[in-house]
Amino acid sequence: MASENTLGQQYYILPEGATRLIGREAQRTNIAVAYAVASIIKSTLGPKGMDKMLVSELGDIVITNDGATILEEMNVEHPVAKLMVEIAKTQDKEVGDGTTSVVVLAGELLKNAGDLIEKGINPNTIIKGYDMAAKKAADLLNKYSVPIGLDDDDLLEKVVLVAGGSKNIGSDSTRKYLAQLVIKAVKQVAEKQGNKIVVDKDYIKVEKKEGGSIEDTQLINGVLIDKEVAHPQMPKSITNAKIALLDVALEIEKTETDARIEITSPEQMESFLKQEEKMLKEMVDKIAQSGANAIFVEKGIDDVAQHYLAKAGILAVRRVKKSDIEKLAKATGAKLVTSLDDLSPSDIGFAGLVEERKIGGEQMVFVEKCKDPKSVTLFVRGGTQQVIDEAERTINDEIGALTAALELGSCVYGGGAVEASLAKELRDYANEVGGREQLAIQAFADALEIIPKTLADSAGMDPIDTIVQLRSKQRTKEGMVYGIDVYKGTIGDMSKLGVIEPMKIKQQAIASATEASVQILRIDDMISAKASQPSGGAGQNTPPAGEED
Ligand code: ADP
Ligand code: MG
């Protein structure tokens, strides 16, 4: 790429083949890309949204309604598209639900900004207006809060059903069945800290195995380990198990023995092996003395040690993942021990049952019936891989939503109701602010309405007419409850329909959609060092096969 200096000489600052987009052109392109990404997943929004089938290069098939999953599987190239994928991922990580909404909202914010730019409004004015609107919206949300607590079983179920409602995982009774499992799981690990509720989602393990049906999904009051019992002679089932967690290799380290000992006679060899055996037996004795009868070991267990463990009636699982050991500690109350000399009865945990069972042709170890475990497992079953994968995504959304609702203690009305309420308030705010920012704040308000608009569209309603009606309904007293009844195809009372969502989803979505749009709007120069490839990816002289006419 060449530029000219004042003397009219050409000089190069970028490698040959680099591309550059400047000013309006860069903005236009970026907005178009962001909007295109949003458009792709828009049709999946809400319970009437459609699924997408994605086929990877290797032919693996994913069928889903999950925004974050779709974007990830699409493998987008453009940096702005990547940014859109990033906000879905952030939403997923921070809240665990609302991934489609955040991307759709960002796309709409950018589209509306693009319209303003075409009208000659400076991007910096738009950025300022958007920031003001986002801040105002965050404050206003509290006005629309519906409180929720651990004992509001009815509300908890609604939150879960709405969060999982857009995914196709079966009949209403199946959904309710899963919802109850999720509620039990979250309540079980929830802890009160002062007047706050904290849920560490890491301690709700979601394990899945093909086979059975979704209704065979179960909640295990403890941890399911996808490993087998180390030795066939060991017990396969222990009731009232006393559990030890060991970060100790029940082996003789090979380097210790190989390096120094020179064996010159068969007798020496024999005594050497005896010695090794004795050491291993001593290890097992220490374990037995502690009272443990089920052990979970992060490292390996030597064959000889396995033999002695079996003889002592101890069930052992080896090479257990660190994360599973942590979950076991939370579930059973056992303390991880790093040296056998430290192992004492106070380190021992408890489970009502430790049992190896054959599931779908593979052995798994169930550590269950724990006493008030602070770590549980949802064991997802279903006919095909696709089914259990989508069920797992549903459960993750549900856990995320319920956690978000409980941690903040606040919900809002869904079905586009809260977005419509905020849009209404922001329009009033725009009038107060006046000036050029007013236009940006109005554009922000319009963008929020993309949620009810899209839901209306998915329900076969006319989006424009519906929004006009929704606006006037929202202006009535107690109007905040009105949103889209996607099943009836009308505007409905979300409080009656039980469509409520965690407030945190909306907070996070508005914050990250705004942040991403502002970030994209600030870009007025796109320099790409990568040479732009001719379409088809092949060299110019070799047109890709089968692409001519
Ligand atoms: P996201 O990935 O953003 O969570 P979803 O596909 O889960 O996307 O759709 C969420 C949207 O669907 C929210 O705006 C929510 O209020 C709405 N929604 C969910 N259930 C219903 C329902 N029964 N009636 C109307 N809207 C609903
Ligand atoms: Mg959702």
Side-chain angles (χ1 to χ4, degrees):
M1 176 169 288
S3 298
E4 256 180 31
N5 67 11
T6 46
L7 299 174
Q9 294 159 327
Q10 283 206 336
Y11 58 94
Y12 292 89
I13 51 171
L14 292 172
E16 209 174 343
T19 52
R20 185 170 180 192
L21 284 177
I22 304 176
R24 288 277 285 276
E25 185 116 22
Q27 272 154 356
R28 240 182 244 134
T29 307
N30 291 343
I31 288 171
V33 168
Y35 189 65
V37 171
S39 302
I40 291 172
I41 61 165
K42 211 192 257 174
S43 68
T44 69
L45 190 79
K48 288 276 177 176
M50 307 300 275
D51 288 355
K52 302 235 176 251
M53 181 192 256
L54 301 134
V55 185
S56 77
E57 274 176 54
L58 297 172
D60 293 334
I61 294 172
V62 176
I63 300 174
T64 185
N65 180 291
D66 192 67
T69 307
I70 296 166
L71 291 170
E72 199 162 352
E73 296 284 331
M74 269 172 17
N75 230 337
V76 295
E77 272 281 337
H78 194 279
V80 166
K82 288 205 160 109
L83 221 134
M84 297 291 274
V85 177
E86 237 16 79
I87 56 173
K89 280 194 193 158
T90 305
Q91 179 81 19
D92 205 23
K93 209 168 73 214
E94 295 289 322
V95 198
D97 192 19
T99 55
T100 310
S101 304
V102 70
V103 173
V104 169
L105 181 57
E108 201 66 12
L109 283 170
L110 282 163
K111 180 180 153 255
N112 292 356
D115 293 346
L116 290 179
I117 292 172
E118 295 301 321
K119 285 189 191 133
I121 311 282
N122 186 306
N124 284 317
T125 309
I126 301 171
I127 290 169
K128 188 164 167 226
Y130 274 13
D131 277 336
M132 289 166 77
K135 204 168 154 286
K136 186 77 183 172
D139 291 342
L140 284 167
L141 263 178
N142 293 306
K143 207 171 138 182
Y144 294 93
S145 160
V146 180
I148 188 168
L150 266 180
D151 300 323
D152 299 325
D153 286 327
D154 194 37
L155 283 184
L156 296 180
E157 188 184 68
K158 283 172 180 153
V159 169
V160 173
L161 287 174
V162 168
S166 53
K167 298 204 168 58
N168 292 315
I169 48 152
S171 66
D172 281 355
S173 71
T174 307
R175 286 175 188 286
K176 284 210 168 162
Y177 172 72
L178 281 191
Q180 284 309 321
L181 295 186
V182 167
I183 292 169
K184 272 195 200 137
V186 170
K187 275 191 167 186
Q188 183 57 47
V189 302
E191 287 181 273
K192 281 206 174 121
Q193 290 182 1
N195 49 13
K196 286 216 152 185
I197 296 166
V198 180
V199 181
D200 191 340
K201 288 185 276 185
D202 287 349
Y203 291 111
I204 303 174
K205 186 178 182 187
V206 182
E207 188 73 64
K208 54 185 178 179
K209 196 113 267 154
E210 209 177 309
S213 77
I214 296 268
E215 303 239 2
D216 294 321
T217 298
Q218 47 171 309
L219 173 66
I220 293 160
N221 267 320
V223 189
L224 176 52
I225 309 283
D226 194 359
K227 294 258 172 199
E228 56 183 7
V229 169
H231 192 275
Q233 241 86 61
M234 285 174 181
K236 295 290 160 60
S237 173
I238 293 182
T239 47
N240 296 327
K242 301 202 177 65
I243 292 168
L245 305 176
L246 305 174
D247 183 10
V248 180
L250 300 182
E251 297 168 322
I252 308 292
E253 302 272 347
K254 285 295 175 256
T255 47
E256 278 174 31
T257 52
D258 281 357
R260 291 205 177 75
I261 302 165
E262 229 174 78
I263 294 167
T264 49
S265 69
E267 292 76 32
Q268 238 180 340
M269 181 69 191
E270 195 168 322
S271 90
F272 168 69
L273 286 176
K274 278 242 170 68
Q275 178 64 21
E276 246 195 31
E277 204 174 307
K278 193 168 150 254
M279 286 164 76
L280 289 166
K281 181 157 189 308
E282 275 167 14
M283 287 183 179
V284 173
D285 287 345
K286 279 180 196 156
I287 293 169
Q289 271 157 28
S290 75
N293 56 12
I295 64 170
F296 296 84
V297 184
E298 263 189 67
K299 303 205 165 102
I301 307 177
D302 185 279
D303 289 350
V304 176
Q306 287 179 27
H307 165 81
Y308 283 121
L309 284 165
K311 255 175 104 174
I314 296 172
L315 178 158
V317 183
R318 61 181 165 162
R319 304 213 182 279
V320 180
K321 279 188 290 188
K322 178 126 201 115
S323 59
D324 280 344
I325 294 274
E326 280 163 6
K327 292 184 177 93
L328 282 167
K330 278 263 187 186
T332 66
K335 293 192 199 77
L336 180 62
V337 168
T338 51
S339 155
L340 287 179
D341 293 327
D342 297 341
L343 181 63
S344 77
S346 66
D347 299 315
I348 303 297
F350 173 85
L353 180 65
V354 175
E355 189 167 67
E356 181 189 76
R357 285 176 214 149
K358 196 170 194 164
I359 308 285
E362 275 173 68
Q363 309 291 354
M364 299 178 101
V365 176
F366 290 69
V367 181
E368 58 188 12
K369 301 192 176 150
C370 298
K371 275 191 211 143
D372 193 22
K374 285 299 158 201
S375 166
V376 296
T377 305
L378 281 161
F379 185 32
V380 181
R381 306 302 314 276
T384 66
Q385 193 63 42
Q386 275 85 17
V387 167
I388 51 173
D389 285 350
E390 188 74 341
E392 183 191 25
R393 286 188 284 265
T394 306
I395 286 173
N396 280 330
D397 281 6
E398 293 179 345
I399 294 171
L402 195 52
T403 300
L406 286 170
E407 289 196 339
L408 212 61
S410 272
C411 287
V412 291
Y413 291 115
V418 74
E419 287 85 357
S421 303
L422 292 176
K424 177 193 76 178
E425 298 261 10
L426 286 178
R427 283 197 190 95
D428 295 345
Y429 175 60
N431 290 335
E432 276 167 40
V433 171
R436 293 207 142 196
E437 282 80 22
Q438 156 174 242
L439 295 175
I441 298 170
Q442 274 161 3
F444 194 102
D446 294 344
L448 283 170
E449 283 176 342
I450 190 62
I451 302 296
K453 226 186 236 173
T454 307
L455 291 170
D457 199 19
S458 77
M461 302 158 78
D462 182 282
I464 311 278
D465 287 352
T466 308
I467 289 301
V468 173
Q469 286 168 28
L470 182 58
R471 280 182 192 169
S472 76
K473 280 252 180 191
Q474 280 268 342
R475 291 260 172 209
T476 61
K477 201 163 164 273
E478 314 285 331
M480 68 188 259
V481 296
Y482 290 109
I484 309 297
D485 179 345
V486 291
Y487 296 109
K488 283 219 191 88
T490 57
I491 289 171
D493 180 338
M494 297 296 120
S495 70
K496 292 211 178 92
L497 294 170
V499 183
I500 60 164
E501 292 182 283
M503 188 154 100
K504 198 172 165 196
I505 293 190
K506 306 297 175 186
Q507 278 179 344
Q508 179 68 38
I510 291 171
S512 31
T514 309
E515 212 171 89
S517 335
V518 164
Q519 202 175 17
I520 291 169
L521 286 174
R522 275 194 216 284
I523 302 167
D524 80 335
D525 197 352
M526 293 267 293
I527 303 164
S528 170
K530 248 202 307 196
S532 59
Q533 294 212 337
S535 58
Q540 274 163 329
N541 300 327
T542 49
E547 289 227 341
E548 288 160 300
D549 295 336

